[in-house]
Amino acid sequence: DADVTQTPRNRITKTGKRIMLECSQTKGHDRMYWYRQDPGLGLRLIYYSFDVKDINKGEISDGYSVSRQAQAKFSLSLESAIPNQTALYFCATSDLWTGPQHFGDGTRLSIL
Amino acid sequence: GNSVTQMEGPVTLSEEAFLTINCTYTATGYPSLFWYVQYPGEGLQLLLKATKADDKGSNKGFEATYRKETTSFHLEKGSVQVSDSAVYFCAQSLSSGSARQLTFGSGTQLTVLP
């Protein structure tokens, strides 16, 4: 089984819909992150969390919200999806702020 | 501001060719530097890292040296293989309050032909 699991792997939806992307991890890491990847832009940080009581905005948090339900679970929500949120979304974990991050395989989200 | 600039791709090489992918960073203080690799349909994996000036990170035949004087962390491999075809990301870690975040370059697509 993968250490960092994202569901769903692919999602197509319509403008205005609410969408939730889920991430679970078995690595026992405290720190979890959500990124989006767009062609030519690399990865940009949306939100990150140290534990269930700690949520922090990243570079591009507008239009997104997150929930850290447990140490192992970190979900990303789009309250009202818009087409420019079409992207590849990655969840990651780390045990230290300076340590390597471990990524899931991504969720490809298309908003029509 | 803090940013990472890496060589634009795509890069196409023949098997056993020498690879260099350039990366430069701008950051206050002393960031840690990383190279990540992304194979098709997968997430990013850490390839190598360096945490201070003059450190050399190495893994799977890839190397990169943290050069503070030129603010660079170029990725090199002496002889690439078809299996090295992937997207490569340079990244730096920077502090934000008590946390550190990764800032990524835009990625370089490498294709190695047999």
Side-chain angles (χ1 to χ4, degrees), chain A residues 37-88:
Chain A
Q37 182 180 19
D38 298 277
L41 293 178
L43 273 73
R44 294 180 291 168
L45 183 64
I46 306 172
Y47 272 96
Y48 62 101
S49 167
F50 175 66
D51 63 25
V52 294
K53 298 178 183 178
D54 178 78
I55 302 290
N56 303 278
K57 293 183 177 181
E59 180 186 354
I60 53 163
S61 59
D62 288 349
Y64 301 94
S65 62
V66 291
S67 174
R68 185 81 183 267
Q69 300 96 325
Q71 187 209 33
K73 295 184 182 295
F74 192 37
S75 60
L76 175 72
S77 294
L78 287 68
E79 297 301 326
S80 180
I82 56 178
N84 75 2
Q85 292 176 312
T86 293
L88 187 54

Side-chain angles (χ1 to χ4, degrees), chain B residues 6-23 35-37 39 47-48 59-65 73-89 107-113:
Chain B
Q6 64 180 99
M7 187 169 92
E8 288 192 18
V11 174
T12 302
L13 297 173
S14 297
E15 204 165 25
E16 299 184 1
F18 183 84
L19 169 71
T20 300
I21 301 177
N22 291 336
C23 172
W35 277 100
Y36 282 80
V37 58
Y39 298 104
L47 181 60
L48 53 84
N59 185 26
K60 300 181 181 179
F62 291 89
E63 294 183 340
T65 301
F73 193 55
H74 304 322
L75 182 68
E76 298 182 335
K77 186 173 185 181
S79 177
V80 293
Q81 305 300 312
V82 173
S83 57
D84 293 328
S85 298
V87 182
Y88 292 82
F89 292 92
T108 302
Q109 172 78 56
L110 170 66
T111 301
V112 180
L113 303 175

Side-chain angles (χ1 to χ4, degrees), chain A residues 11-17 19 78 80-87 89 109-112:
Chain A
R11 177 81 185 270
I12 301 173
T13 192
K14 295 182 179 180
T15 297
K17 294 291 188 182
I19 301 158
L78 287 68
S80 180
I82 56 178
N84 75 2
Q85 292 176 312
T86 293
Y89 289 84
L109 179 62
S110 297
I111 300 163
L112 306 178

Side-chain angles (χ1 to χ4, degrees), chain A residues 9 33 35 37 40-43 45 48 57-58 88 90 97-101 103-105, chain B residues 32 34 36 38 41-44 46 49 89 93 96 98-102 104-107:
Chain A
R9 290 297 312 276
Y33 311 80
Y35 293 90
Q37 182 180 19
L41 293 178
L43 273 73
L45 183 64
Y48 62 101
K57 293 183 177 181
L88 187 54
F90 286 102
W97 292 125
T98 55
Q101 293 187 11
F103 287 78
D105 286 339
Chain B
S32 294
F34 305 84
Y36 282 80
Q38 183 181 29
E42 298 183 10
L44 280 69
L46 179 68
K49 70 174 185 177
F89 292 92
S93 68
S96 175
S98 61
R100 279 184 174 265
Q101 303 174 31
L102 282 180
F104 289 87
S106 58

